């Protein structure tokens, strides 16, 4: 019998084994050679699309043909986020145990919308998020055995939206659920807060005019005094402060908002405090960083992304809430076809009520594999090493006559400039990224063009950061040379 007679058009178990092993080999080999590939993709717009057929195939093709096209068509169109010379944006790092957990989740293919649809999918997630709350030194109230708990979301953006919806629900005593958003609710963020908060405010129906943008100090951290004055003015004008976002590690420069001072203001005005530690939250596994988020005990919700800097591939964002009731009231609806005895008993968690989608995949598996493979000790080792390398780089910049630091370096991101000004820094960046040897991105701080170097790819080591610094100095000499 041929395979096709046995399995219809499906891939046979034997072929799956064969191709699966080949694919794992391909990934392992990719990780070994990725360092030699140009980090930023050189593909021109439309180039990848032009290499693909205009229609789906009528007849099935062999797996080998797909793998060949991955090599031929896809690879040149990739920016290699897993290159140890990737220093751009924030990392989206991954690791072998994470990829294996992802593969297993796909193979099991369970849909964990309710406890009843796969008890292990829910209970593993609850347990792993409790582990993480403890590892990060978060308040006990954020654990599932307190009044709160954690949930895996698709992104920090989705998590912020859910926190805002819970805050809206709490500030309106449930009226927002019934009659739509009360136009008198206000939300607060700083000039440096991630754009996802503005997006959440739009989606939640508060309206952008109800989002107050608070100024920052000269280290790009929110001015808590200005926040208090704004809230007082809003209350006097008949508004209800409902939500404030404090950031630990802003996207632009990893600035750290004064969480304790912001928490005191939020509490005085009855506003929900969300702490967005999307990237820097991972560092809290190392106790020496926790002073930077002192005051987190007062927060209503906290979010960080293991898919940025905790060796867990995208997507995996963790949202912790102090009081799960507000979140669940904001997001729960119950159609007849989802009714079941376990849910009605109140003895189980149904995570569908903790985020926007109904369906959910088994993302806790990869996080569980990562935590068990590395152990807390292994995670601390690698995070500390990344921070050490970033500080080493910052020290070189600080003493070099042609460069200057543009912001403090509390974690793994260095913001710096060429003293030649915006045009010089911009030309330097293009020259570096065009070389393919490394990839950095930029931001603007105090209105000035600023280069960012973030150390966070899983396999970035001292040699890569040293080579980056050498390349930057060499490119600066080239850039500074008189044109023509
Ligand atoms: C990256 C980032 C986000 C958004 O993260 P997603 O998970 O991609 O939505 C939000 N806040 C901060 C501070 C970030 O750095």
């Amino acid at each position: 019998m041929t395979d096709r007679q046995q399995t219809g058009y499906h891939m046979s178990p034997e072929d799956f084994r064969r191709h699966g092993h080949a694919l794992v080999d391909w990934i392992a080999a990719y990780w070994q050679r990725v360092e030699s590939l140009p980090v930023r993709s050189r593909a021109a717009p439309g180039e990848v699309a032009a290499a693909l057929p205009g229609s789906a195939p009528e007849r099935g093709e062999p797996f080998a043909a797909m793998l060949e096209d991955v090599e031929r068509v896809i690879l040149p169109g990739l920016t290699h986020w897993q290159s140890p010379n990737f220093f751009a944006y924030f990392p989206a790092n991954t690791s072998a145990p994470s990829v294996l957990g992802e593969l297993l989740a796909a193979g099991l293919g369970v849909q964990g919308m309710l406890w009843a649809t796969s008890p292990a999918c829910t209970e593993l997630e609850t347990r792993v998020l409790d582990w993480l709350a403890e590892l990060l030194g978060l308040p006990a109230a954020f654990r599932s055995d307190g009044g709160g708990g954690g949930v895996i979301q698709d992104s920090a953006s989705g998590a912020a939206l859910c926190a805002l919806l819970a805050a809206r629900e709490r500030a309106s005593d449930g009226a927002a659920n019934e009659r739509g958003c009360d136009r008198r609710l206000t939300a607060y963020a700083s000039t440096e807060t991630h754009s996802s908060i503005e997006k959440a405010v739009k989606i939640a129906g508060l309206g952008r005019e109800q989002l107050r943008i608070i100024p920052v100090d000269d280290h790009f951290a929110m001015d808590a005094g200005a926040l208090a004055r704004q809230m007082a003015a809003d209350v006097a004008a008949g508004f209800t402060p409902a939500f404030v976002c404090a950031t630990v590690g802003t996207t632009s420069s990893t600035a750290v908002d004064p969480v304790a001072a912001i928490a005191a203001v939020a509490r005085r005005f009855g506003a929900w405090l969300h702490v967005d530690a999307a990237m820097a939250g991972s560092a809290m596994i190392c106790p020496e960083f926790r002073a930077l988020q002192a005051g987190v005990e007062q927060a209503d919700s906290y979010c960080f992304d293991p898919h940025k800097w905790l060796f867990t591939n995208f997507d995996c964002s963790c949202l912790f809430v102090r009081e799960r009731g507000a979140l669940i009231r904001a997001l729960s609806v119950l159609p007849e076809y989802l009714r079941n005895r376990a849910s009605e008993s109140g003895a189980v968690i149904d995570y569908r009520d903790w985020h926007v989608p109904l369906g959910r995949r088994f993302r806790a598996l990869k996080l569980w594999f990562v935590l068990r493979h590395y152990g807390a000790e292994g995670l601390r080792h690698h995070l500390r090493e990344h921070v050490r390398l970033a500080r080493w780089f910052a020290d070189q910049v600080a003493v070099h006559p042609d460069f200057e630091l543009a912001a403090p370096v509390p974690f793994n991101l260095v913001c710096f400039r060429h003293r030649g000004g915006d045009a010089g820094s911009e030309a330097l960046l293009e020259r570096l990224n065009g070389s393919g040897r490394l990839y950095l991105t930029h931001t603007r701080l105090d209105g000035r063009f600023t280069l960012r170097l973030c150390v966070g790819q899983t396999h970035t080591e001292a040699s890569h950061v040293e080579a980056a610094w050498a390349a930057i100095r060499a490119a600066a000499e080239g850039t500074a040379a008189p044109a023509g």
Side-chain angles (χ1 to χ4, degrees):
M1 270 201 313
T2 66
D3 277 357
R4 184 140 299 175
Q5 284 165 318
Q6 281 173 6
T7 64
Y9 286 82
H10 301 302
M11 189 182 281
S12 69
E14 293 68 32
D15 282 353
F16 174 71
R17 278 197 187 89
R18 203 155 50 80
H19 300 319
H21 292 157
L23 184 62
V24 169
D25 285 343
W26 189 94
I27 295 170
Y30 170 70
W31 286 341
Q32 286 175 311
R33 72 180 153 137
V34 65
E35 188 171 341
S36 66
L37 303 174
V39 189
R40 187 180 67 175
S41 172
R42 293 173 168 164
E47 201 175 317
V48 175
L52 297 167
S55 307
E58 175 60 26
R59 298 186 126 236
E61 299 178 52
F63 189 76
M66 299 168 215
L67 211 46
E68 268 167 41
D69 283 351
V70 167
E71 192 74 41
R72 186 178 62 84
V73 181
I74 303 300
L75 213 55
L78 293 182
T79 288
H80 298 287
W81 286 70
Q82 305 314 320
S83 167
N85 299 314
F86 182 97
F87 301 103
Y89 305 104
F90 278 159
N93 68 21
T94 187
S95 65
S98 178
V99 170
L100 296 175
E102 185 77 288
L103 181 62
L104 180 58
L108 297 176
V110 304
Q111 219 281 33
M113 57 190 172
L114 301 168
W115 177 89
T117 60
S118 255
C121 182
T122 294
E123 294 190 15
L124 179 68
E125 183 161 331
T126 306
R127 182 51 58 101
V128 165
L129 274 102
D130 281 348
W131 284 1
L132 272 175
E134 189 177 44
L135 282 176
L136 267 56
L138 293 176
F142 284 169
R143 295 170 47 115
S144 64
D145 51 8
V151 58
I152 300 178
Q153 302 250 347
D154 55 356
S155 65
S157 307
L161 172 62
C162 292
L164 177 59
L165 293 171
R168 191 187 80 157
E169 148 75 24
R170 191 175 82 177
S172 67
D173 285 326
N177 267 348
E178 303 309 322
R179 296 191 294 278
C181 186
D182 183 335
R183 297 284 297 163
R184 308 301 285 176
L185 300 184
T186 44
Y188 303 79
S190 86
T191 52
E192 297 291 314
T193 302
H194 192 264
S195 55
S196 54
I197 299 299
E198 180 181 338
K199 199 184 217 178
V201 163
K202 283 169 45 174
I203 298 170
L206 267 71
R208 236 178 339 221
E209 284 178 12
Q210 266 66 247
L211 175 62
R212 310 295 191 234
I213 305 294
I214 308 300
V216 293
D217 65 17
D218 53 8
H219 285 167
F220 311 104
M222 186 189 284
D223 177 345
L227 174 68
R229 289 190 293 281
Q230 181 66 51
M231 282 196 186
D234 286 332
V235 169
F239 291 100
T240 302
F243 177 87
V244 52
C245 177
T247 307
V248 175
T250 59
T251 314
S252 188
S253 71
T254 57
V256 178
D257 287 344
V259 178
I262 293 169
V265 175
R267 173 168 287 212
R268 181 155 17 115
F269 291 93
W272 180 290
L273 172 59
H274 177 64
V275 175
D276 176 3
M279 186 198 61
S282 292
M284 302 305 158
I285 291 185
C286 310
E288 65 270 27
F289 291 101
R290 292 186 197 152
L292 291 169
Q293 63 179 27
V296 72
E297 319 76 59
Q298 310 287 332
D300 293 288
S301 52
Y302 184 94
C303 172
F304 90 108
D305 283 346
H307 68 224
K308 278 184 172 162
W309 193 25
L310 206 65
F311 315 110
T312 307
N313 66 280
F314 195 86
D315 55 348
C316 184
S317 179
C318 295
L319 173 68
F320 297 92
V321 290
R322 164 180 304 282
E323 200 208 315
R324 56 182 174 261
L327 183 66
I328 292 170
R329 280 196 300 280
L331 295 173
S332 174
V333 283
L334 186 59
E336 182 57 34
Y337 50 81
L338 293 180
R339 283 188 187 279
N340 68 88
R341 216 175 291 152
S343 297
E344 272 151 34
S345 76
V348 302
I349 289 177
D350 289 326
Y351 278 125
R352 70 177 187 109
D353 296 330
W354 294 54
H355 53 40
V356 173
L358 169 63
R360 58 201 328 270
R361 37 195 218 93
F362 201 167
R363 284 177 294 210
L365 276 175
K366 61 187 172 187
L367 199 46
W368 189 43
F369 280 15
V370 166
L371 294 175
R372 292 183 66 180
H373 170 84
Y374 286 94
E377 153 190 290
L379 296 173
R380 281 188 208 109
H381 168 81
H382 289 291
L383 295 171
R384 283 178 178 143
E385 191 59 9
H386 287 162
V387 173
R388 186 184 73 77
L389 296 175
R391 289 186 180 154
W392 176 85
F393 181 86
D395 289 345
Q396 312 310 305
V397 168
V399 298
H400 194 284
D402 295 341
F403 292 95
E404 63 186 9
L405 289 175
V409 182
F411 303 107
N412 59 343
L413 172 71
V414 184
C415 292
F416 65 106
R417 288 189 273 261
H418 190 261
R419 288 191 192 271
D422 282 7
S425 291
E426 206 168 338
L428 175 61
L429 182 66
E430 251 334 288
R431 180 181 285 243
L432 286 166
N433 290 342
S435 78
R437 288 162 58 193
L438 74 177
Y439 185 22
L440 313 180
T441 48
H442 80 283
T443 186
R444 266 187 193 277
L445 293 173
D446 291 326
R448 296 163 70 189
F449 191 92
T450 303
L451 294 128
R452 297 166 79 266
L453 180 136
C454 191
V455 183
Q457 200 285 320
T458 312
H459 297 291
T460 299
E461 292 174 3
S463 60
H464 304 107
V465 179
E466 286 161 13
W469 175 233
I472 290 166
R473 276 175 304 158
E477 278 157 28
T479 308

